[in-house]
Amino acid sequence: MDEIALIVAAKKGELRAFNQLVLQYQGMAYNLAYRVLGDSDAAADVTQDSFVKAFKSLRQYRGGSFKAWVLRIVTNTCYDYLRAKQRRPSSSLDDLAEDPDRAEELTHHGEGPEEYVMRRELSVTIQTGIALLPADQRIALVLSDVEGMSYQEIAEVTESELGTVKSRLSRARAKLRDYLQARPELLPARYRLNDSRMGS
Amino acid sequence: MFKWTRRDSNRQSHIASELLSAYIDNEVTAQERKEVAAHLATCASCREDLQSLRNAVVLVRALPRMAVPRAFTLTEAMVGAQPRRARSPWIVTYLRGATVVAAMMLVVLVGGDLFLRSAPQTPQMIALQSPAAERISEQPLEKVVQETVVVASSAAPEEARAAESEQPAAALAAVPEATQPVQQKAVRKAVSEPEKATERTVVEKPENAETASPIPAPVTEIPRGGGSPGGVGGIGGAGGPGGGEGGGSDEGGGTGFSPGEPVPTEAPPQPDETRPAESAKETVTIADSSAKPAQPVEATPAVKEKTVEKVITPTPQIEKAVVATPEPTAPAVAPSETPAEVALAQGEQTSESVATHPVVQPKQTQSAAPQPFAWQTPLRVAEISLGVLIALLLAATWIAARRP
């Protein structure tokens, strides 16, 4: 069944059809929650809660991008989680130091152990830098650079204006750049920002 | 100059970070792209900013995808009965609305039932519902009729009395409107009696005129102050001997008019005998004119009302005439009037009053006692029906909400 048929069936109350949609979007939802919250357990809880909310509010879906609609629920659930838990960047850094061991990253095909370790260290550093950003800038950065969404899609998910999206994203990137440039020892020599060879 | 610019310490213009970030994602217009490219060619600082931003974007985009720890599919326990909510609720909404409406109607019916049952019957309502009330209100009129009969019987010859028995029917027939007040009829009858007497004594009138109407005499022929003014004159005449006959002379003071009062003789434009009704009213008008100017000849509602008023609420003159006649008409009638004729007059009066009586409230109920409760049965039926309907609607609503 295509996505539209699954959505129609799910709106009628067919749980099986909705679970097909869950399997299709759960990876994207989980990664978004993980990058925003910086914690695998929190990301799992938020992802599960988001899909439950999505099923209960299917009547409110009036068409358009179903992907954006699901990610909007995940984003709002992340906001609710952050407000409820009152997580601070300093505390998140301690959690992040251990999180890479718990979180399982997808391995690249043909990647050696040394490269894997280096990649993991870079991930931790970047994740730490992202965790220091304000929630709205963090979400804009993850939606753009992690999920690969366009400015318009980001505006639809965050329910904000296009100019606001541009502003938040530019600030997030600038802050992350400044964070990484201030800690070049944390970056592998290959990934040091000042290295012109990194330019794409 | 660019839309988004910044100045360094040397106040040199540079491209703002926001524009550079959008430039990285190709989220700029063609004009902006051209200008940025042109500036980058000449500004090393902006080139370094662009590069550093681009590297950060690359690093973030290079972050590995995280594997989901488990499947996040939902179970029935997680959503409970929520899947049922996906069904269109419009049926349930309509059923609930119908149930509410039916319940409100039932409340109104029950409330109205209780209110009507508890509402006390006022004496006026009870009186009006009873036939006795009509007789009571008709009493003054009956007095007039009886007194008229007395006058007619005392003064009129046998033929007048016989004609009198016929007159009521003829009078009723002559009246064009069935709803004319009884007082008018009584007045006409009273007028007819002395007039007949007057006619026979003064003017010869054809029988058909009398048959056509009980009031044949034209105004001019009616003596002043005579018994012409309907029952008034008759009443007044009753006080004296041959009041009806005496009406032919000015001595018909029995009319009750105070001496000296002008009694303009309103000469009707037509002495037509075929229009006795008008002449009768004219006579009445004359009698009434003692206090008022001439009345229109035509039987206008105003005249009728005055006629009615005079009978219903006797004027002082009439009252005097009435007083002149003993209240209990029976004794006054007894010596000269046969009980049958009195009963006949009373019966006629009663029948007429039964038919139309403006004073008395129209008889709405023949039997007063059961009337207020005549609506109980249909009201109960309606209440029970609404109760059953509400139960059915509730059941349908429950079924519709439960079914998938």
Side-chain angles (χ1 to χ4, degrees), chain B residues 82-108:
Chain B
Q82 291 304 327
R84 299 294 179 260
R85 287 176 49 193
R87 137 175 234 288
S88 175
W90 65 271
I91 294 178
V92 177
T93 304
Y94 286 142
L95 288 174
R96 286 175 180 168
T99 305
V100 171
V101 171
M104 291 172 62
M105 291 174 61
L106 181 61
V107 169
V108 170

Side-chain angles (χ1 to χ4, degrees), chain B residues 133-157:
Chain B
E134 300 177 1
R135 289 193 290 273
I136 294 172
S137 60
E138 298 168 6
Q139 193 171 4
L141 183 61
E142 291 179 352
K143 288 182 183 176
V144 174
V145 174
Q146 293 170 3
E147 290 162 353
T148 304
V149 172
V150 170
V151 172
S153 63
S154 62

Side-chain angles (χ1 to χ4, degrees), chain A residues 11 19 31 59 151 177 199, chain B residues 25 51-52 64 66 74 85-86:
Chain A
K11 291 186 74 173
N19 285 334
N31 271 269
R59 281 184 298 175
Y151 284 22
R177 177 200 57 190
Chain B
D25 298 322
Q51 188 61 41
S52 61
M66 303 304 295
L74 306 180
R85 287 176 49 193

Side-chain angles (χ1 to χ4, degrees), chain B residues 150-324:
Chain B
V150 170
V151 172
S153 63
S154 62
E158 295 274 338
E159 295 83 7
R161 293 177 190 160
E164 175 190 343
S165 63
E166 300 172 2
Q167 286 308 314
L172 291 173
V175 175
E177 299 176 5
T179 57
Q180 283 193 358
V182 177
Q183 294 79 359
Q184 293 183 2
K185 297 175 186 174
V187 169
R188 295 195 187 94
K189 285 194 298 184
V191 171
S192 66
E193 308 313 323
E195 287 184 354
K196 287 201 191 74
T198 304
E199 294 169 5
R200 285 178 171 78
T201 56
V202 177
V203 180
E204 291 288 338
K205 291 295 178 182
E207 288 298 328
N208 57 358
E210 294 180 358
T211 306
S213 166
I215 308 171
V219 175
T220 53
E221 298 180 21
I222 298 173
R224 265 179 64 186
S228 56
V232 176
I235 295 173
E245 297 175 355
S249 65
D250 293 344
E251 295 177 0
T255 58
F257 295 122
S258 54
E261 285 188 6
V263 182
T265 55
E266 301 176 10
Q270 62 289 337
D272 187 5
E273 298 173 1
T274 60
R275 303 175 66 179
E278 296 178 2
S279 60
K281 291 182 175 57
E282 296 167 3
T283 60
V284 174
T285 303
I286 291 176
D288 187 28
S289 64
S290 61
K292 297 180 181 179
Q295 299 295 329
V297 177
E298 294 298 325
T300 61
V303 175
K304 292 182 183 179
E305 292 176 1
K306 290 176 182 172
T307 306
V308 171
E309 291 174 0
K310 296 199 72 64
V311 177
I312 298 172
T313 57
T315 59
Q317 298 81 354
I318 298 174
E319 288 178 350
K320 291 179 185 176
V322 173
V323 171

Side-chain angles (χ1 to χ4, degrees), chain A residues 13 17 24 51 84 110 117 136 151 172 175 192:
Chain A
Q24 185 175 346
F51 282 121
V117 170
D136 54 350
Y151 284 22
K175 289 182 181 179
R192 292 176 182 173

Side-chain angles (χ1 to χ4, degrees), chain A residues 11-13 18-19 22 26 31 35 44 48 59 103-106 119 123 145 151 173 176-177 193 199-200, chain B residues 18 21 25 27 49 51-55 57 59-61 64-67 69 72-74 83 85-86:
Chain A
K11 291 186 74 173
K12 294 180 180 179
F18 184 78
N19 285 334
V22 172
Q26 64 178 2
N31 271 269
R35 295 302 177 189
Q48 187 71 78
R59 281 184 298 175
E104 180 179 355
E105 295 181 357
L106 295 174
R119 186 164 60 83
S123 298
D145 298 337
Y151 284 22
R173 287 172 174 173
L176 181 61
R177 177 200 57 190
L193 294 176
S200 58
Chain B
E18 189 171 335
S21 176
D25 298 322
E27 292 281 349
D49 288 340
Q51 188 61 41
S52 61
L53 285 175
R54 188 170 288 168
N55 290 341
V57 172
L59 287 174
V60 174
R61 289 180 179 174
R65 301 283 296 176
M66 303 304 295
F72 295 99
T73 53
L74 306 180
R85 287 176 49 193

